[in-house]
Amino acid sequence: MRTTVRLSKPLLERARQEAARRGITLTALIEQGLGLALRRPLKRSEHPPIVLPVSSATGGTQPGVNLDRSAELLDRMEEV
């Protein structure tokens, strides 16, 4: 299955170098890393969850911003 993953340039370069060093593809390295991360149990915090306040302000998003399109939202945020 194909998907898009956004990585910083330095992280991507390090990952490419590590994949080459191991003699595997970048995809295989990402799959191995994700597999390791998913096998580790999530440590629960001893602190109570943070409750965020709900804003009563009106207005909404800027023109052209669609919160259902995360990739476009990230692109807009990087432009700032």
Side-chain angles (χ1 to χ4, degrees):
M1 173 182 270
R2 292 187 88 117
T3 191
T4 301
V5 177
R6 291 178 180 262
L7 303 173
S8 67
K9 287 182 182 181
L11 179 60
L12 178 58
E13 185 55 36
R14 285 180 56 201
R16 283 185 174 145
Q17 291 173 358
E18 183 61 22
R21 186 183 75 74
R22 294 179 184 212
I24 60 176
T25 65
L26 179 60
T27 298
L29 181 70
I30 292 171
E31 286 177 344
Q32 288 175 6
L34 186 55
L36 286 171
L38 293 175
R39 272 186 246 135
R40 291 184 187 161
L42 181 62
K43 292 184 178 180
R44 300 277 179 186
S45 175
E46 294 178 11
H47 302 286
I50 297 172
V51 178
L52 298 176
V54 176
S55 173
S56 59
T58 59
T61 61
Q62 294 180 351
V65 174
N66 182 345
L67 298 179
D68 293 327
R69 295 185 175 165
S70 61
E72 290 178 16
L73 186 57
L74 288 171
D75 288 340
R76 279 182 159 276
M77 290 169 56
E78 289 174 357
E79 291 174 1
V80 176

